[in-house]
Amino acid sequence: MSRIVRIHEYGDANVLKIEDVAVPAPAADEVQIAVKAIGINRAEVMFRNHAYLQEAEFPSRLGYEAAGTVAAVGADVTGFAEGDAVSVIPPLDIARWGTYGEVANVPARLVVKHPAALSFEEAAAVWMQYVTAWGALVEQAKLGEGDFVIVIAASSSVGLAAFQIARMVGATVIATTRTGAKRQALIDAGAHHVVATEEEDLVARVMEITDGQGARVVLDPVGGPSFEPLTESMARGGILLQYGALSDEPTPFPLFSVLGKSLTLKGYLYSEIVSDDAALDRAKAFIVAGLESGALKPRIARTFPLDAIQDAHRFLESNDQIGKVVVTV
C-alpha cells in the first residue's frame, strides 16, 4: 500500500485526501516511479474545482509532474533501470497517470533522466513550464534573435520559463504585471522590461520599447478585457498564443487590429507538443541542453510536505507567487 492523494468529489482544497492505495505494477509501456517531489500546477486546482478540460471519475488521482527514482519498468520499456533519477513530462491524462502520492505509473516516453545537478524539487518543477513555453515560443512562434515577446502573467512558472527561453534564442522580453510591486523581482528573474498594466498604458509603453514596431509574439494565459490592447501592442504579422483563460470576463475579438496588422491568434495547449513524438524530442533536447548549461533554472516559490497537500493548493490559489510550488514526499 502507498500513500496516494485522491479526490472523491469536486470542491475546495479540503477534498484532497491522502489514502492508502494499492498501486498496480506498471503496464508494458510504463515506468513506476518512487516519487520524491511533486510540482503543483493551476491545472490541478482547476481539475479539483471542476473547471478543467477533463472530467474526473471518482475516486480520482490527480497530478501532472513529479521527480523521483525508478522503482520498476514495464515489459516493453528499455533505457531505464531501477534506481535511475528521473522526472516526468506531464502526460495527457491528469487522472490516469496522477503523480500526487508516493508512487506513480507514467508512460515511459514521458520519463526523462534529468541532469544530475538538479535536485528532485527542481526536477519536479521543470517540464510543465518549459514544455509549455518552448512549444509556444520556439516551436510555433519561431521566436528568435531580435524579436520582442510580451509575456502576460509574468510571475507564473510558465512566465518565468518564457523569460529564460526567450533569452536563450536572443529575444527581448516585455513582462506585464498588474502593479509595480514585482517590477524588480521580474527584472531579476530575466525580464528586459516590465509594464505595470494598472499604472501604465500598455500600448504606449510597448511602442516606446519597440521603437514603434510592436511585439511580434505575445504569450497570454489570461484573455478577457486585456486581449484588445495586447493586439494593439503587436507588430504587423505578429502571433498571439492563448494558452489559458484565467480571466472570468468576456474576451472581445479585436477585429480591426487583426485585420489591419494581419495578426495570427492561436489557441495553444502543451498537449500539442506531448502528443507529437518528433516535437517532444525537440523539446527534450532544447530543455535538457538549457538545464545543463544553466540557461534554464527552475525557480521554486515554496515547498510543502505531502501531508500539507491541501495547504499547498491553498497557497497556490491565494498567492501570486513568483515561481513554482513544490511538494516533497
Side-chain angles (χ1 to χ4, degrees):
M1 304 292 278
S2 302
R3 300 175 74 225
I4 302 298
V5 178
R6 300 197 300 183
I7 60 174
H8 293 258
E9 60 183 329
Y10 294 118
D12 63 21
N14 292 323
V15 303
L16 296 166
K17 306 296 183 185
I18 300 176
E19 301 173 331
D20 290 329
V21 176
V23 178
D29 60 349
E30 292 179 342
V31 170
Q32 185 172 93
I33 296 172
V35 176
K36 303 294 185 183
I38 303 161
I40 308 297
N41 296 283
R42 293 193 182 276
E44 292 133 32
V45 172
M46 294 172 69
F47 180 71
R48 190 203 74 214
N49 281 329
H50 200 197
Y52 197 54
L53 298 171
Q54 182 179 341
E55 293 283 333
E57 294 183 12
F58 301 116
S60 177
R61 291 194 66 165
L62 70 165
Y64 271 133
E65 291 186 281
T69 57
V70 174
V73 297
D76 296 337
V77 175
T78 59
F80 295 101
E82 186 175 337
D84 285 345
V86 295
S87 48
V88 180
I89 296 172
L92 297 176
D93 190 317
I94 193 173
R96 178 180 175 186
W97 292 293
T99 58
Y100 283 17
E102 294 178 333
V103 177
N105 292 328
V106 293
R109 63 184 288 272
L110 301 179
V111 177
V112 180
K113 295 178 184 177
H114 54 257
L118 288 185
S119 67
F120 285 119
E121 290 81 5
E122 290 172 324
V126 165
W127 293 103
M128 177 67 89
Q129 60 178 325
Y130 288 122
V131 170
T132 300
W134 177 88
L137 298 182
V138 177
E139 182 76 356
Q140 299 203 1
K142 310 302 182 187
L143 189 72
E145 186 78 32
D147 278 335
F148 288 88
V149 54
I150 302 175
V151 179
I152 314 303
S155 60
S156 68
S157 59
V158 173
L160 301 183
F163 295 179
Q164 296 175 8
I165 288 172
R167 283 181 171 269
M168 279 184 70
V169 300
T172 298
V173 176
I174 304 171
T176 74
T177 183
R178 290 192 299 273
T179 72
K182 293 183 180 179
R183 184 183 302 275
Q184 190 57 49
L186 292 172
I187 293 292
D188 292 344
H192 295 89
H193 306 275
V194 176
V195 180
T197 55
E198 292 180 0
E199 301 167 2
E200 304 172 86
D201 184 294
L202 174 66
V203 179
R205 282 286 291 123
V206 170
M207 291 303 171
E208 178 186 1
I209 292 166
T210 62
D211 292 328
Q213 297 302 304
R216 190 180 71 80
V217 181
V218 175
L219 185 63
D220 181 24
V222 178
S226 65
F227 198 71
E228 197 155 9
L230 277 176
T231 59
E232 293 174 10
S233 303
M234 293 174 65
R236 183 172 299 278
I239 180 170
L240 184 153
L241 296 120
Q242 193 70 38
Y243 72 101
L246 295 177
S247 175
D248 57 6
E249 299 183 61
T251 300
F253 183 76
L255 178 62
F256 290 107
S257 291
V258 172
L259 286 175
K261 298 183 179 183
S262 301
L263 301 180
T264 298
L265 309 181
K266 169 72 169 64
Y268 165 73
L269 295 173
Y270 86 97
S271 57
E272 296 176 46
I273 307 303
V274 176
S275 60
D276 181 325
D277 286 340
L280 184 62
D281 285 344
R282 291 192 291 273
K284 288 178 185 178
F286 183 100
I287 293 164
V288 169
L291 293 169
E292 289 176 339
S293 72
L296 302 182
K297 179 73 172 177
R299 178 168 176 164
I300 298 173
R302 186 169 171 184
T303 60
F304 293 83
L306 182 62
D307 286 333
I309 186 70
Q310 294 180 353
D311 292 334
H313 268 234
R314 293 187 189 104
F315 178 80
L316 184 61
E317 288 183 283
S318 62
N319 289 269
D320 189 17
Q321 78 283 342
I322 296 180
K324 190 86 164 192
V325 177
V326 172
V327 166
T328 56
V329 180

